Amino acid sequence: MKAIKLFSIALAAMLVSSFAAAQGKVVVFNMQAALMQTNSAQQTLKALDSNSDFAAMKSKFESLRAELITMDKDFQTNGMTWSQEQTAEHRKKVEYKSADLKLAAEKLKAERNAVVQRIVKELGPKAKKVLDELVKAENIGLVLDSGAAFFATPEFDITGKVTAMLNKQ
């Protein structure tokens, strides 16, 4: 029974590979990576980083993180000598700072995600068109999402080619 299953799997693999060979080559592709590596996307992300509101949010995040590190060091150094009230007050301050840090991180992530979504919305149709052109030009029979592939050598990944073609446009 086990031999039949192995034979069936091997036969299916041969059929899929022979079908793919008959139709063209098989490649992997990562759409988001292709879009985010374009010159346009990189410029948009740099603009976000230099935006005064975003920079202020990053600064606030870094400041909160530094304060938490300092508070932790203070506790490590002096905590043994503190009363229960001092220790409780310190924990409360750490909890508040941690909540503020978490909120600042969420704000930064939301801003960055909004920019990424805008990039995908703007460049997605262009990338689809470029991908279609590349499929025809290189006789590609199957394009797999690179996340779905267990293994692919670099020559099977067309993400860089699509990025280069988008940069030329």
Side-chain angles (χ1 to χ4, degrees):
M1 188 71 155
K2 197 173 191 179
I4 294 173
K5 277 187 177 179
L6 288 174
F7 178 73
S8 297
I9 291 171
L11 182 61
M14 286 178 12
L15 288 174
V16 168
S17 65
S18 65
F19 174 75
Q23 297 298 316
K25 64 184 180 179
V26 176
V27 296
V28 295
F29 174 62
N30 183 327
M31 176 68 86
Q32 186 167 357
L35 297 177
M36 299 311 294
Q37 293 170 4
T38 61
N39 296 336
S40 173
Q42 292 299 311
Q43 289 172 352
T44 303
L45 290 172
K46 279 184 183 177
L48 173 66
D49 286 337
S50 63
N51 176 288
S52 60
D53 291 338
F54 190 75
M57 281 192 278
K58 278 177 73 173
S59 177
K60 176 79 171 168
F61 174 82
E62 293 299 330
S63 173
L64 288 167
R65 191 170 66 163
E67 288 177 37
L68 277 169
I69 291 170
T70 301
M71 291 173 79
D72 183 54
K73 287 180 183 176
D74 186 32
F75 180 75
Q76 296 297 326
T77 304
N78 302 317
M80 295 290 243
T81 63
W82 291 349
S83 68
Q84 286 183 335
E85 293 82 23
Q86 287 173 312
T87 301
E89 182 65 27
H90 180 78
R91 281 193 185 122
K92 186 169 74 171
K93 287 179 182 177
V94 167
E95 287 175 12
Y96 290 159
K97 291 283 183 201
S98 294
D100 290 345
L101 181 68
K102 183 179 177 184
L103 180 61
E106 288 172 1
K107 287 179 180 179
L108 287 170
K109 184 178 178 182
E111 288 294 321
R112 192 163 199 66
N113 285 345
V115 169
V116 168
Q117 289 302 320
R118 193 174 81 229
I119 291 168
V120 169
K121 185 177 180 181
E122 178 185 314
L123 293 178
K126 294 176 184 176
K128 175 69 172 118
K129 184 179 176 191
V130 165
L131 180 61
D132 290 342
E133 292 170 6
L134 192 60
V135 164
K136 288 177 186 164
E138 296 194 7
N139 191 32
I140 296 171
L142 180 63
V143 178
L144 296 173
D145 183 285
S146 61
F150 287 112
F151 174 77
T153 57
E155 60 266 11
F156 284 93
D157 190 347
I158 61 168
T159 304
K161 287 182 182 180
V162 172
T163 300
M165 291 172 74
L166 283 169
N167 283 336
K168 288 180 183 177
Q169 290 185 347

